[in-house]
Amino acid sequence: MAYINLNADNFNAHMKEEGLVILDFWAPWCGPCKMFGPTFEAASEKHADIVFGKINTEDERDLAAHFNIRSIPTLIAIKDGIMVFNQAGAMMAAQFEQLIQGLRELDMDKVRADIASQQE
């Protein structure tokens, strides 16, 4: 699956309770965003089982505010409905592939247990 341009109207429809969603918060005027865009798009073609969403922070200010985006580009990964990665800054293709592999291997039972212990 190629990436999806997400907005307030279609955002919830593309969030998954199970599986991996990677969000790219960007803006048209942002140089690093333009540099990272092709890397994100290539990964979206390569990893068809992952939802890749691009969110234009200029057009979708409410979504950017919801995720507390303070600089762009910012990548957010949500796995099984839980945010597991949030980092500003562009990545090289190899770094992004390493991130995707790490996200695939992430033990969500451990993540949920960690969250539960922090809430006690």
Side-chain angles (χ1 to χ4, degrees):
M1 168 194 286
Y3 73 90
I4 302 161
N5 286 308
L6 295 176
N7 57 48
D9 294 331
N10 70 4
F11 183 83
N12 288 334
H14 293 289
M15 292 301 101
K16 296 167 39 175
E17 289 184 26
E18 293 185 12
L20 189 54
V21 177
I22 301 177
L23 305 174
D24 174 21
F25 288 84
W26 68 284
W29 51 262
C30 168
C33 299
K34 290 179 185 179
M35 290 173 37
F36 180 66
T39 299
F40 188 84
E41 292 160 19
S44 75
E45 295 289 339
K46 182 177 178 182
H47 301 282
D49 60 319
I50 299 173
V51 174
F52 287 83
K54 292 181 72 73
I55 300 171
N56 181 336
T57 58
E58 292 292 303
D59 295 338
E60 300 301 325
R61 294 180 188 269
D62 289 343
L63 279 175
H66 174 77
F67 284 95
N68 201 29
I69 302 302
R70 296 287 177 239
S71 71
I72 52 174
T74 291
L75 279 177
I76 290 181
I78 300 169
K79 187 170 182 180
D80 298 347
I82 300 170
M83 186 187 306
V84 293
F85 183 82
N86 181 343
Q87 179 177 303
M91 291 185 180
M92 302 299 291
Q95 292 173 304
F96 193 38
E97 284 298 322
Q98 285 180 330
L99 171 63
I100 291 168
Q101 188 61 37
L103 292 167
R104 286 185 185 281
E105 295 170 358
L106 190 60
D107 181 348
M108 291 308 293
D109 289 333
K110 181 176 181 334
V111 170
R112 283 186 281 278
D114 289 347
I115 291 170
S117 71
Q118 290 174 7
Q119 292 176 344
E120 291 177 355

